[in-house]
Amino acid sequence: MLYSEKVMDHFQNPRNVGKIENADGIGEVGNAVCGDIMKVYIKVDCGIITDVKFNTFGCGSAIATSSMATEMIKGKKIEDALALTNKAVVEALDGLPAHKIHCSVLAEEAVKAAVKDYYDKNGIAYDKSLFPDCESCEECHLK
Ligand code: FES
């Protein structure tokens, strides 16, 4: 089968879909490969991600990876969310077909963008190399 049971489960019953009113951080990213869009909302309390939701205009693999990614960072420290890689999310889903790996990058980048937004809004200093260089990047169509 092309997709694992976990991918199908998270695609058909995605966790944490929606929007958080008064979110502490919002990340919106676009996938340069396919043009799909992902938005992630986080609620942060004392450095812990107490709630997370996502909305996507994306394919089934983007939905499944975002669902899994939100499950993996919920209740975790901000630092743990930043350390989450698309590879770890794909592994947790028991794999994705090679041509769908780019979809999982959307989830990772949206989580990172939400954390960056939280840092920016709260005046928290951070290592800029942890985030994509949006100022000079030419790839994102959202600009
Ligand atoms: Fe666009 Fe999967 S094809 S995110």
Side-chain angles (χ1 to χ4, degrees):
M1 187 156 108
L2 192 57
Y3 293 104
S4 73
E5 276 178 30
K6 281 191 190 164
V7 171
M8 291 310 291
D9 176 32
H10 279 264
F11 166 53
Q12 284 166 336
N13 309 291
R15 289 36 155 201
N16 309 309
V17 173
K19 179 178 177 181
I20 299 177
E21 298 298 338
N22 304 318
D24 295 312
I26 301 174
E28 183 169 3
V29 296
N31 189 319
V33 180
C34 62
D36 289 347
I37 297 172
M38 172 82 55
K39 206 162 178 178
V40 165
Y41 304 80
I42 54 172
K43 201 84 194 147
V44 182
D45 194 14
C46 295
I48 304 287
I49 297 179
T50 54
D51 199 10
V52 50
K53 295 250 187 295
F54 80 93
N55 270 143
T56 187
F57 183 78
C59 70
S61 299
I63 292 170
T65 47
S66 305
S67 169
M68 180 57 93
T70 54
E71 285 288 272
M72 288 169 86
I73 65 168
K74 204 174 188 174
K76 300 275 168 53
K77 288 191 215 138
I78 282 267
E79 294 77 34
D80 295 335
L82 273 182
L84 184 75
T85 62
N86 74 305
K87 193 166 170 281
V89 176
V90 169
E91 275 170 18
L93 285 168
D94 293 337
L96 272 179
H99 70 285
K100 285 276 149 188
I101 293 293
H102 76 265
C103 312
S104 65
V105 176
L106 204 56
E108 180 193 322
E109 289 184 346
V111 166
K112 287 201 165 117
V115 170
K116 183 173 183 293
D117 184 47
Y118 165 72
Y119 283 161
D120 287 339
K121 279 186 177 141
N122 290 279
I124 299 169
Y126 54 86
D127 176 359
K128 291 207 167 40
S129 69
L130 288 172
F131 301 98
D133 182 5
C134 294
E135 304 298 307
S136 62
C137 171
E138 295 297 325
E139 292 198 350
C140 177
H141 70 286
L142 289 175
K143 281 200 295 187

